Amino acid sequence: MTDSLAHPNHGCNQQHLRDELEQFAELQKEQFLEQRPVTELVHARSHFIDSLLHRLWRHFQFHEVPGLALIAVGGYGRGELHPLSDVDILILSQTALDEVMGEKISQYLTLLWDLRLDVGHSVRTIEQCIEIGANDLTVATNLQEARQICGCEETFIELEERVHAGNFWPSETFYQAKLDEQKKRHARYHDTTYNLEPDIKSSPGGLRDIHTLSWIARRHFGATSLLEMSRFGFLTDAEYRELVECQTALWRIRFALHIELRRYDNRLTFGHQASVAENLGFIGEGNRGVEMMMKEFYRTLRRVLELNKMLLQLFDQAILNNGEERAVIALSDDFQIRGHLIEATKPALFQARPETILDMCLHVAANSSIEGIAAPTLRQLRTARRRLNVFLVEIPAAREKFMALVRQPNALQKAFRLMHRHGVLSSYLPQWSQIVGQMQFDLFHVYTVDEHSIRVLKNLNKFNDPENRERHPICCEVYPRIIKKELLLIAAIFHDIAKGRGGDHSELGAVEAYDFGIQHGLSRPEANIVSWLVKHHLLMSVTAQRRDIYDPEVVTEFAKTVRDEERLDYLICLTVADICATNQDLWNSWKRTLLAELYYSTQKALRRGLENPPDIRERIRHNQQLASALLRSQNFAPREIEVLWQRFKADYFLRHTHKQLAWHAEAMLHHDHEKPLILLSKKATRGGTEVFVYCKDKPKLFSIVVAELDKKNLSVHDAQIMTSKDGYALDTFMVLDPTGKALNENRHNTVRRALVNALTHMKSDRKKKRAPRKLLHFNVKTKVDFLPTKTGKKTMMELVALDMPGLLAKIGAVFAKLHISLQAAKITTIGERAEDFFIVVNEHGSQLTEEEQQALKSELITKLDHHEESK
C-alpha cells in the first residue's frame, strides 16, 4: 500500500514528493472512512515516512558518510504516526560533523519542511545525546524509543547500549520523574477526565497515560510493548486486551480529528466535535451524535486512568520497594491498610457481598490516612462492577451504608470523588450512570454533568474550612451550623441528575430526589427539603443576577418561595457551591456581593414577617438624613442640599446608599450642569466599579455609554437608569474588567474623558469587533419575554441572545429608535448566552402597551439575529 507511492523511480522532485504526500494523506482519509483498522493506518503512515526519509537520505548521499545514522524518536520511534503527528528524527554521528556536512544536513531538513512535514529534529553525537539526555527527561524518554530508519547500524547500537545502561536514568529515578510529570500534566486539566473540550493525548486517561506506563515498563523491565508488559505479570490478559482496546479507541478519535484539521492539535473542541463524531459514524438528531461519541470517549479515558493508577501502584512496589510488601494495619474483618492504601482481606469480597463496596468507602471517609485503593482490591472492584446484576441501591444493606456515608462528617474529603472515579456511584444509582460523560453544550460549563456535580460536593466541603472565609463569608458561617448536612449532600447529588433527558431537569430531579429520600429512610419533611432544593437550586442565582433585588417586591416574592431561614441557609450553600463548580473563573466579588445582599434582605424579611413589608418612606428619610450629615460635615449648607434633592424622585433615594447620595451630591454641587458629569468609585462597589453619569437626558444616552464602555473592554453587569424631575439623567453602571474585577484606578481618567467626550458630542465611534471564534459554533436564538408586574406602572422584559460584541449598544439603539426609556438593567453573561433583564417605560412614562411590546420584540429579534460581525 505504501511502497507504491514512495517508489525510488519517482525521484526527489519537490513538487512530485509533495503530491505523493497529499495523495497518501487523501488515501488514508478514504481508508479511515471506509473503516480500515486505525492501527494499520497509523503504522502505515510511519512506514511511508520511513521510506520517504530513506530515499532522501540516499539522494543526499548520507549513506556514504561513515558513522552517520538516521533515527526515529518519540511517537515516530514507536512507529506511530497520525496524519498531523510530528516527525521527530535524530541525525546521529560518531563524531562532530564539519561545516560542509552541517550545511548538507540543513538542506535535507529544509527540504522536509518545504514538503510541509512537521519535523522535530536534532543533530548530535552519541556523547551529546547522553549528556543532554542525562539532564532532560523528555530527551531521555525520546531516546528510549529510538528506532533506526537507515544509516550506520553500529552507531545506533552503541547509542542503544548507552541509553539502556543502568547509570543513564536509573529505574527508580526515571519512575519518580515520570510520576511527577504525570501529576503536573493532570493538574493542568484540573485532575479530571471530564473537561468538555478534552485533549485526546494529554487529559487524564488520555494517550499520554498509556505512554507513561510503556516508558516505565521499558526502562525497568525492558518491555517494548503492552504485550510484553503483560508477560511480566503486571497486566492480566483481560487488562491487556482492555488497554489495547482503549488505545485503539483513542487512536480512532485522534485520527478522525486530524483529518479535519490543518494544524496539529489534539483538543476535541466544540467546533470539531460534530465533524469528528460524523467521521466515526456517530449520528443522531441535534447533538445526539456528539453526545454518544463523547460518552464513549469519557468511558475510555476513565478505564485508562483506572488501569494507569493500578499499574503505577504495582510498578511502585516492584521498583521502589523491590517487590517487598508493606506492613498492614487491620481496619475490620474485611479491610486493612497497606501503606496509604485500603485493601480487601478476601479475594472475592465484593462479588460475595456487594454492599461491602460501601463499607470500603466508609473506611476511606473515616480514615484520613487512606489515599486510595490498593491494586488487587481495585482489580476486584472492577470485576465486581462488571458482574453486578442490580444497582447497589436495590440492596437494603447498601442503602443503610450509603446514608451512613452521607452523614459521615469527612465523607466529602475523598470518599465521593473516589466513588465517582472508580464507578461506585454509577453502580449505586441508575440515574448517576446516565449522567456519566453527559455533555453540556455551552461556554458556561467546563465539565460534564457528573464531574460538575462531584465538584459541587467538593465545594460544600470547603465551607467547613475557615481559610475560605474571605472568599465565601456567608457560606463559611452558615454551613458549619447546618445540622442535617446530609440533606444538602443528597440535593447536590440530584440537582442536575435529570440533565440530558429532555424537560425541566429541576422538576424531574426534584421528584427523583424525593423518592430517593423516602427510599433511604428520610422523613417526609426531610425528603421535601431535598426535593425543594433540587427544584429551586437555580432560584437564588437567577434572582440575584437577573432581577432587581433592590425592589422590595422582588425580595418579598423570593422570601415567599423560600418560606423559612433553614431553607435559605441550605439554598445559599447549594447556590454558591453550584456556581463555583460550573467554571473556575465564574465566581467573583460581584456575584458574592449580589448573593449576600439577597441573603440578608431575605433574612430580614423572614424575621420581620412577610405580612409586615418595610416602610419605604422611612427608609428614604433615613438615607437622606445620613447623607445630609456627611455633606454638612464638608461645609455644604442644608439649603443647597435641599434645593438639589428637590429635583430628584423618591426612587433615587431608595436605590442608593447614604454614602452614594453624599458622593453624588458633593460632585453635582460643584459642577457646571451644562456639561456631563462622570464619577467612578475609587473603591470597589459590590465587587465592581460604579460609573455614575449625570447630564441632560437624551434618547441615545444609554446606547452611547455602553458602546463607549465596550470600547474600553469593560463589561456592564448592572445599570440603574433614572431621570430627575427636570430631565437630567442620573444613571449608574456597575462595570467589571475582563478578569471580573473592579477597574484599576489608573484607568479611571481615560474612561472618564472618553465618556465625557462621547456624551458632549452624543456619539460613540464604536469600532466593529469580530465575535470570538469560539462563539461561531453556537447558535443562540434571540428570545424576548415580558413578565407580569403587580403595579402595572413599568414593563419588565427578559432577553436571551448570543453574547456578541456591542450587544448592549445595539439594544440601547433599539430603545432609542422606539422612544422607549430604560429604568434599570441586569446584565448576565452565561458562557455564549446573554441573559439580560430590563425595566422599561414608553415615552409617556407608562407601561408598554401590547402593540409597543410586540414592536420592541420584533425589532430586537431582527436587529440581534441578523448581525454581520459574528459571521
Side-chain angles (χ1 to χ4, degrees), residues 284-306:
E285 283 187 32
N287 291 317
R288 185 71 187 129
V290 174
E291 284 186 354
M292 289 191 293
M293 174 189 74
M294 294 305 289
K295 279 198 171 187
E296 186 172 301
F297 174 65
Y298 290 125
R299 200 178 302 121
T300 302
L301 291 186
R302 188 177 67 77
R303 290 162 74 195
V304 170
L305 187 61
E306 201 167 50

PDB file of all heavy atoms in Angstrom, residues 284-306:
ATOM      1  N   GLY A 284     -27.166  11.311  14.781  1.00  0.00           N
ATOM      2  CA  GLY A 284     -28.414  11.458  15.525  1.00  0.00           C
ATOM      3  C   GLY A 284     -28.902  12.883  15.408  1.00  0.00           C
ATOM      4  O   GLY A 284     -28.184  13.765  14.913  1.00  0.00           O
ATOM      5  N   GLU A 285     -30.108  13.122  15.867  1.00  0.00           N
ATOM      6  CA  GLU A 285     -30.679  14.469  15.781  1.00  0.00           C
ATOM      7  C   GLU A 285     -29.945  15.426  16.696  1.00  0.00           C
ATOM      8  O   GLU A 285     -29.519  15.063  17.793  1.00  0.00           O
ATOM      9  CB  GLU A 285     -32.165  14.422  16.179  1.00  0.00           C
ATOM     10  CG  GLU A 285     -33.071  13.873  15.090  1.00  0.00           C
ATOM     11  CD  GLU A 285     -34.535  14.016  15.467  1.00  0.00           C
ATOM     12  OE1 GLU A 285     -34.880  14.981  16.166  1.00  0.00           O
ATOM     13  OE2 GLU A 285     -35.313  13.150  15.068  1.00  0.00           O
ATOM     14  N   GLY A 286     -29.815  16.679  16.243  1.00  0.00           N
ATOM     15  CA  GLY A 286     -29.186  17.710  17.071  1.00  0.00           C
ATOM     16  C   GLY A 286     -27.784  17.313  17.488  1.00  0.00           C
ATOM     17  O   GLY A 286     -26.933  16.995  16.645  1.00  0.00           O
ATOM     18  N   ASN A 287     -27.552  17.287  18.800  1.00  0.00           N
ATOM     19  CA  ASN A 287     -26.225  16.948  19.334  1.00  0.00           C
ATOM     20  C   ASN A 287     -26.103  15.477  19.720  1.00  0.00           C
ATOM     21  O   ASN A 287     -25.131  15.098  20.382  1.00  0.00           O
ATOM     22  CB  ASN A 287     -25.935  17.809  20.571  1.00  0.00           C
ATOM     23  CG  ASN A 287     -25.743  19.273  20.216  1.00  0.00           C
ATOM     24  OD1 ASN A 287     -25.076  19.600  19.244  1.00  0.00           O
ATOM     25  ND2 ASN A 287     -26.336  20.160  21.000  1.00  0.00           N
ATOM     26  N   ARG A 288     -27.076  14.664  19.318  1.00  0.00           N
ATOM     27  CA  ARG A 288     -27.100  13.268  19.769  1.00  0.00           C
ATOM     28  C   ARG A 288     -25.838  12.511  19.369  1.00  0.00           C
ATOM     29  O   ARG A 288     -25.283  11.743  20.158  1.00  0.00           O
ATOM     30  CB  ARG A 288     -28.342  12.568  19.198  1.00  0.00           C
ATOM     31  CG  ARG A 288     -28.544  11.152  19.692  1.00  0.00           C
ATOM     32  CD  ARG A 288     -28.957  11.124  21.156  1.00  0.00           C
ATOM     33  NE  ARG A 288     -28.974   9.750  21.652  1.00  0.00           N
ATOM     34  CZ  ARG A 288     -28.360   9.360  22.751  1.00  0.00           C
ATOM     35  NH1 ARG A 288     -27.685  10.207  23.491  1.00  0.00           N
ATOM     36  NH2 ARG A 288     -28.433   8.102  23.159  1.00  0.00           N
ATOM     37  N   GLY A 289     -25.367  12.717  18.138  1.00  0.00           N
ATOM     38  CA  GLY A 289     -24.156  12.019  17.682  1.00  0.00           C
ATOM     39  C   GLY A 289     -22.949  12.376  18.543  1.00  0.00           C
ATOM     40  O   GLY A 289     -22.173  11.499  18.931  1.00  0.00           O
ATOM     41  N   VAL A 290     -22.804  13.663  18.830  1.00  0.00           N
ATOM     42  CA  VAL A 290     -21.679  14.118  19.666  1.00  0.00           C
ATOM     43  C   VAL A 290     -21.800  13.531  21.069  1.00  0.00           C
ATOM     44  O   VAL A 290     -20.810  13.069  21.653  1.00  0.00           O
ATOM     45  CB  VAL A 290     -21.633  15.665  19.728  1.00  0.00           C
ATOM     46  CG1 VAL A 290     -20.559  16.129  20.707  1.00  0.00           C
ATOM     47  CG2 VAL A 290     -21.368  16.244  18.344  1.00  0.00           C
ATOM     48  N   GLU A 291     -23.012  13.544  21.623  1.00  0.00           N
ATOM     49  CA  GLU A 291     -23.222  13.004  22.973  1.00  0.00           C
ATOM     50  C   GLU A 291     -22.798  11.539  23.043  1.00  0.00           C
ATOM     51  O   GLU A 291     -22.124  11.121  23.988  1.00  0.00           O
ATOM     52  CB  GLU A 291     -24.694  13.135  23.386  1.00  0.00           C
ATOM     53  CG  GLU A 291     -25.092  14.547  23.786  1.00  0.00           C
ATOM     54  CD  GLU A 291     -26.516  14.608  24.316  1.00  0.00           C
ATOM     55  OE1 GLU A 291     -27.223  13.575  24.274  1.00  0.00           O
ATOM     56  OE2 GLU A 291     -26.923  15.693  24.767  1.00  0.00           O
ATOM     57  N   MET A 292     -23.191  10.756  22.039  1.00  0.00           N
ATOM     58  CA  MET A 292     -22.835   9.324  22.031  1.00  0.00           C
ATOM     59  C   MET A 292     -21.322   9.153  21.950  1.00  0.00           C
ATOM     60  O   MET A 292     -20.738   8.341  22.666  1.00  0.00           O
ATOM     61  CB  MET A 292     -23.528   8.614  20.868  1.00  0.00           C
ATOM     62  CG  MET A 292     -25.035   8.460  21.048  1.00  0.00           C
ATOM     63  SD  MET A 292     -25.783   7.347  19.814  1.00  0.00           S
ATOM     64  CE  MET A 292     -25.563   8.284  18.297  1.00  0.00           C
ATOM     65  N   MET A 293     -20.682   9.923  21.052  1.00  0.00           N
ATOM     66  CA  MET A 293     -19.235   9.813  20.896  1.00  0.00           C
ATOM     67  C   MET A 293     -18.517  10.202  22.193  1.00  0.00           C
ATOM     68  O   MET A 293     -17.609   9.494  22.652  1.00  0.00           O
ATOM     69  CB  MET A 293     -18.746  10.722  19.769  1.00  0.00           C
ATOM     70  CG  MET A 293     -17.221  10.745  19.663  1.00  0.00           C
ATOM     71  SD  MET A 293     -16.576  11.979  18.520  1.00  0.00           S
ATOM     72  CE  MET A 293     -16.827  13.509  19.421  1.00  0.00           C
ATOM     73  N   MET A 294     -18.930  11.316  22.790  1.00  0.00           N
ATOM     74  CA  MET A 294     -18.225  11.824  23.966  1.00  0.00           C
ATOM     75  C   MET A 294     -18.425  10.903  25.170  1.00  0.00           C
ATOM     76  O   MET A 294     -17.507  10.724  25.971  1.00  0.00           O
ATOM     77  CB  MET A 294     -18.681  13.249  24.285  1.00  0.00           C
ATOM     78  CG  MET A 294     -18.299  14.273  23.222  1.00  0.00           C
ATOM     79  SD  MET A 294     -16.517  14.325  22.835  1.00  0.00           S
ATOM     80  CE  MET A 294     -15.864  15.073  24.335  1.00  0.00           C
ATOM     81  N   LYS A 295     -19.613  10.310  25.300  1.00  0.00           N
ATOM     82  CA  LYS A 295     -19.819   9.371  26.409  1.00  0.00           C
ATOM     83  C   LYS A 295     -18.868   8.186  26.275  1.00  0.00           C
ATOM     84  O   LYS A 295     -18.274   7.730  27.255  1.00  0.00           O
ATOM     85  CB  LYS A 295     -21.272   8.888  26.458  1.00  0.00           C
ATOM     86  CG  LYS A 295     -22.203   9.875  27.143  1.00  0.00           C
ATOM     87  CD  LYS A 295     -23.504   9.214  27.580  1.00  0.00           C
ATOM     88  CE  LYS A 295     -24.293  10.179  28.456  1.00  0.00           C
ATOM     89  NZ  LYS A 295     -25.477   9.574  29.055  1.00  0.00           N
ATOM     90  N   GLU A 296     -18.713   7.681  25.049  1.00  0.00           N
ATOM     91  CA  GLU A 296     -17.787   6.563  24.822  1.00  0.00           C
ATOM     92  C   GLU A 296     -16.344   7.011  25.075  1.00  0.00           C
ATOM     93  O   GLU A 296     -15.544   6.278  25.657  1.00  0.00           O
ATOM     94  CB  GLU A 296     -17.942   6.045  23.390  1.00  0.00           C
ATOM     95  CG  GLU A 296     -17.114   4.800  23.126  1.00  0.00           C
ATOM     96  CD  GLU A 296     -17.425   4.178  21.774  1.00  0.00           C
ATOM     97  OE1 GLU A 296     -18.596   3.806  21.537  1.00  0.00           O
ATOM     98  OE2 GLU A 296     -16.497   4.071  20.957  1.00  0.00           O
ATOM     99  N   PHE A 297     -16.037   8.229  24.657  1.00  0.00           N
ATOM    100  CA  PHE A 297     -14.693   8.772  24.851  1.00  0.00           C
ATOM    101  C   PHE A 297     -14.366   8.892  26.343  1.00  0.00           C
ATOM    102  O   PHE A 297     -13.307   8.456  26.796  1.00  0.00           O
ATOM    103  CB  PHE A 297     -14.604  10.139  24.168  1.00  0.00           C
ATOM    104  CG  PHE A 297     -13.313  10.869  24.413  1.00  0.00           C
ATOM    105  CD1 PHE A 297     -12.113  10.384  23.939  1.00  0.00           C
ATOM    106  CD2 PHE A 297     -13.297  12.061  25.133  1.00  0.00           C
ATOM    107  CE1 PHE A 297     -10.911  11.058  24.156  1.00  0.00           C
ATOM    108  CE2 PHE A 297     -12.115  12.738  25.361  1.00  0.00           C
ATOM    109  CZ  PHE A 297     -10.918  12.236  24.874  1.00  0.00           C
ATOM    110  N   TYR A 298     -15.282   9.487  27.126  1.00  0.00           N
ATOM    111  CA  TYR A 298     -15.042   9.645  28.565  1.00  0.00           C
ATOM    112  C   TYR A 298     -14.941   8.293  29.259  1.00  0.00           C
ATOM    113  O   TYR A 298     -14.143   8.116  30.187  1.00  0.00           O
ATOM    114  CB  TYR A 298     -16.159  10.475  29.209  1.00  0.00           C
ATOM    115  CG  TYR A 298     -16.144  11.935  28.823  1.00  0.00           C
ATOM    116  CD1 TYR A 298     -17.267  12.548  28.271  1.00  0.00           C
ATOM    117  CD2 TYR A 298     -15.007  12.720  29.012  1.00  0.00           C
ATOM    118  CE1 TYR A 298     -17.264  13.884  27.912  1.00  0.00           C
ATOM    119  CE2 TYR A 298     -14.994  14.061  28.654  1.00  0.00           C
ATOM    120  CZ  TYR A 298     -16.126  14.638  28.105  1.00  0.00           C
ATOM    121  OH  TYR A 298     -16.112  15.964  27.753  1.00  0.00           O
ATOM    122  N   ARG A 299     -15.744   7.334  28.814  1.00  0.00           N
ATOM    123  CA  ARG A 299     -15.679   5.991  29.395  1.00  0.00           C
ATOM    124  C   ARG A 299     -14.295   5.398  29.149  1.00  0.00           C
ATOM    125  O   ARG A 299     -13.701   4.756  30.020  1.00  0.00           O
ATOM    126  CB  ARG A 299     -16.764   5.112  28.766  1.00  0.00           C
ATOM    127  CG  ARG A 299     -17.118   3.877  29.588  1.00  0.00           C
ATOM    128  CD  ARG A 299     -18.227   3.050  28.947  1.00  0.00           C
ATOM    129  NE  ARG A 299     -19.433   3.832  28.755  1.00  0.00           N
ATOM    130  CZ  ARG A 299     -20.001   4.047  27.572  1.00  0.00           C
ATOM    131  NH1 ARG A 299     -19.475   3.537  26.476  1.00  0.00           N
ATOM    132  NH2 ARG A 299     -21.097   4.750  27.466  1.00  0.00           N
ATOM    133  N   THR A 300     -13.770   5.643  27.950  1.00  0.00           N
ATOM    134  CA  THR A 300     -12.428   5.146  27.613  1.00  0.00           C
ATOM    135  C   THR A 300     -11.366   5.803  28.492  1.00  0.00           C
ATOM    136  O   THR A 300     -10.477   5.131  29.016  1.00  0.00           O
ATOM    137  CB  THR A 300     -12.117   5.408  26.118  1.00  0.00           C
ATOM    138  OG1 THR A 300     -13.110   4.772  25.320  1.00  0.00           O
ATOM    139  CG2 THR A 300     -10.742   4.893  25.746  1.00  0.00           C
ATOM    140  N   LEU A 301     -11.466   7.125  28.648  1.00  0.00           N
ATOM    141  CA  LEU A 301     -10.497   7.835  29.497  1.00  0.00           C
ATOM    142  C   LEU A 301     -10.522   7.294  30.924  1.00  0.00           C
ATOM    143  O   LEU A 301      -9.476   7.119  31.554  1.00  0.00           O
ATOM    144  CB  LEU A 301     -10.809   9.333  29.521  1.00  0.00           C
ATOM    145  CG  LEU A 301     -10.584  10.153  28.247  1.00  0.00           C
ATOM    146  CD1 LEU A 301     -10.820  11.635  28.525  1.00  0.00           C
ATOM    147  CD2 LEU A 301      -9.182   9.972  27.682  1.00  0.00           C
ATOM    148  N   ARG A 302     -11.734   7.073  31.443  1.00  0.00           N
ATOM    149  CA  ARG A 302     -11.834   6.586  32.823  1.00  0.00           C
ATOM    150  C   ARG A 302     -11.202   5.208  32.968  1.00  0.00           C
ATOM    151  O   ARG A 302     -10.514   4.917  33.956  1.00  0.00           O
ATOM    152  CB  ARG A 302     -13.300   6.534  33.264  1.00  0.00           C
ATOM    153  CG  ARG A 302     -13.459   6.211  34.754  1.00  0.00           C
ATOM    154  CD  ARG A 302     -14.912   6.227  35.181  1.00  0.00           C
ATOM    155  NE  ARG A 302     -15.692   5.155  34.596  1.00  0.00           N
ATOM    156  CZ  ARG A 302     -15.657   3.884  35.009  1.00  0.00           C
ATOM    157  NH1 ARG A 302     -14.856   3.516  35.987  1.00  0.00           N
ATOM    158  NH2 ARG A 302     -16.410   2.978  34.429  1.00  0.00           N
ATOM    159  N   ARG A 303     -11.396   4.343  31.969  1.00  0.00           N
ATOM    160  CA  ARG A 303     -10.811   2.997  32.030  1.00  0.00           C
ATOM    161  C   ARG A 303      -9.277   3.083  31.986  1.00  0.00           C
ATOM    162  O   ARG A 303      -8.591   2.397  32.746  1.00  0.00           O
ATOM    163  CB  ARG A 303     -11.324   2.149  30.858  1.00  0.00           C
ATOM    164  CG  ARG A 303     -12.799   1.778  30.986  1.00  0.00           C
ATOM    165  CD  ARG A 303     -13.379   1.335  29.656  1.00  0.00           C
ATOM    166  NE  ARG A 303     -12.942   0.007  29.263  1.00  0.00           N
ATOM    167  CZ  ARG A 303     -13.080  -0.468  28.025  1.00  0.00           C
ATOM    168  NH1 ARG A 303     -13.619   0.284  27.073  1.00  0.00           N
ATOM    169  NH2 ARG A 303     -12.663  -1.675  27.735  1.00  0.00           N
ATOM    170  N   VAL A 304      -8.762   3.936  31.101  1.00  0.00           N
ATOM    171  CA  VAL A 304      -7.297   4.092  31.013  1.00  0.00           C
ATOM    172  C   VAL A 304      -6.743   4.624  32.326  1.00  0.00           C
ATOM    173  O   VAL A 304      -5.728   4.140  32.841  1.00  0.00           O
ATOM    174  CB  VAL A 304      -6.911   5.042  29.858  1.00  0.00           C
ATOM    175  CG1 VAL A 304      -5.425   5.400  29.917  1.00  0.00           C
ATOM    176  CG2 VAL A 304      -7.250   4.418  28.511  1.00  0.00           C
ATOM    177  N   LEU A 305      -7.424   5.642  32.889  1.00  0.00           N
ATOM    178  CA  LEU A 305      -6.935   6.262  34.125  1.00  0.00           C
ATOM    179  C   LEU A 305      -6.915   5.243  35.260  1.00  0.00           C
ATOM    180  O   LEU A 305      -5.966   5.193  36.051  1.00  0.00           O
ATOM    181  CB  LEU A 305      -7.831   7.447  34.492  1.00  0.00           C
ATOM    182  CG  LEU A 305      -7.356   8.302  35.678  1.00  0.00           C
ATOM    183  CD1 LEU A 305      -5.997   8.919  35.382  1.00  0.00           C
ATOM    184  CD2 LEU A 305      -8.370   9.395  35.988  1.00  0.00           C
ATOM    185  N   GLU A 306      -7.954   4.428  35.325  1.00  0.00           N
ATOM    186  CA  GLU A 306      -8.024   3.415  36.385  1.00  0.00           C
ATOM    187  C   GLU A 306      -6.902   2.392  36.219  1.00  0.00           C
ATOM    188  O   GLU A 306      -6.223   2.039  37.192  1.00  0.00           O
ATOM    189  CB  GLU A 306      -9.393   2.730  36.320  1.00  0.00           C
ATOM    190  CG  GLU A 306      -9.792   2.045  37.603  1.00  0.00           C
ATOM    191  CD  GLU A 306     -11.265   1.665  37.597  1.00  0.00           C
ATOM    192  OE1 GLU A 306     -11.724   1.038  36.618  1.00  0.00           O
ATOM    193  OE2 GLU A 306     -11.954   1.979  38.573  1.00  0.00           O
TER     194      GLU A 306
END
